[in-house]
Amino acid sequence: MSRIKMLSLLVFLFLIVPSVTRADTTAAAKLAEIKSQIPAVWNGTRWDKTRELEDFLAAYPAKDLTGAEARFTLGYNYRVLRNYDKALTEFKRVIAEYPDCNAQVIQSQLEIAQLYYWDKRDYDKAICQYEVVLNSYPDTWEGKYSQEYIGRAYEAKGQEQKAAAEYQKAYKKGRITAGIAEAQILLRQASALPSSSASEKEYRDKKFRELLSFYKELYLTCPIEAEGGAAMGQIIDGI
């Protein structure tokens, strides 16, 4: 390599590359500033950072972690504003445009399912989207959560047998709340059993003993910091 080419390379390394790094750092700091003004936990209060996020994305077209996080936050912003179609569009863009940003892709896929379950109340589509998360990321927290919420969507549709089967799968993966939901279905079913004859009463008592055993198992496996803070109370109420 000639001295002139070597000198040109050194100029690029010492001048151009650091400036790119500084630009990326500045962009990340700017996004962090926008996100600092967003409530850490959404409690139903609306907030609107649409303009700031859209301006940021227009000025920062890089398909990297910072861009993915900004795009995801914009989708979440639209969901908070109840503009569900725009929210879905942004979450889908994260999945399509930032395939290497695994955490944001998983979050976006789960948000799509959540939106259909909680906001649109379209339980068939929610089940399909939760299944995408479950099948793509089975061993993640999101995958286990989706297993439980497939059950919750079936229960919302009135299909208790399917719901109980999904709850059982989720419980075996460590979802205590899914075990509680399954037990509640079994309790309703046991309470509806006929008790006119001695054999029917014996069968009913057997079912209740099985339920008590299941609740005891839930109680013994329930972590101190149970998700949602109410799992232990639900178990005790069930007993």
Side-chain angles (χ1 to χ4, degrees), residues 50-62 67 70-71 74 93 98:
T50 305
R51 181 179 58 80
E52 292 93 330
L53 290 164
E54 287 183 340
D55 288 348
F56 177 87
L57 284 162
Y60 189 80
R71 182 71 64 190
L74 179 59
R93 286 188 68 176
Y98 304 87

Side-chain angles (χ1 to χ4, degrees), residues 91-102:
F91 292 138
K92 289 175 182 178
R93 286 188 68 176
V94 174
I95 296 168
E97 297 178 14
Y98 304 87
D100 295 329
C101 300
N102 200 50

Side-chain angles (χ1 to χ4, degrees), residues 12 20 54 73 83 97 103 115 121-122 124 126 135-136 140 143 158 167 171-172 184 186 188 210 224 230:
F12 175 81
V20 172
E54 287 183 340
T73 306
N83 194 334
E97 297 178 14
L115 195 154
R121 306 291 181 179
D122 187 333
D124 289 324
N135 294 332
S136 300
T140 63
Y167 288 147
Y171 172 62
K172 288 181 178 179
Q184 289 171 337
L186 295 176
R188 286 197 299 271
E210 289 174 356
I224 294 174

Side-chain angles (χ1 to χ4, degrees), residues 168-225:
Q168 179 61 212
K169 294 173 188 175
Y171 172 62
K172 288 181 178 179
K173 295 178 180 180
R175 296 286 302 181
I176 299 297
T177 49
I180 295 169
E182 181 191 2
Q184 289 171 337
I185 288 177
L186 295 176
L187 181 59
R188 286 197 299 271
Q189 292 176 343
S191 298
L193 289 172
S195 56
S196 57
S197 68
S199 60
E200 288 169 344
K201 287 180 180 178
E202 183 179 348
Y203 178 71
R204 177 177 174 144
D205 289 343
K206 176 176 178 291
K207 285 296 180 183
F208 273 116
R209 285 195 298 273
E210 289 174 356
L211 267 172
L212 284 172
S213 178
F214 188 22
Y215 271 115
K216 181 179 179 181
E217 179 185 339
L218 287 169
Y219 179 84
L220 293 174
T221 57
C222 184
I224 294 174
E225 297 296 331

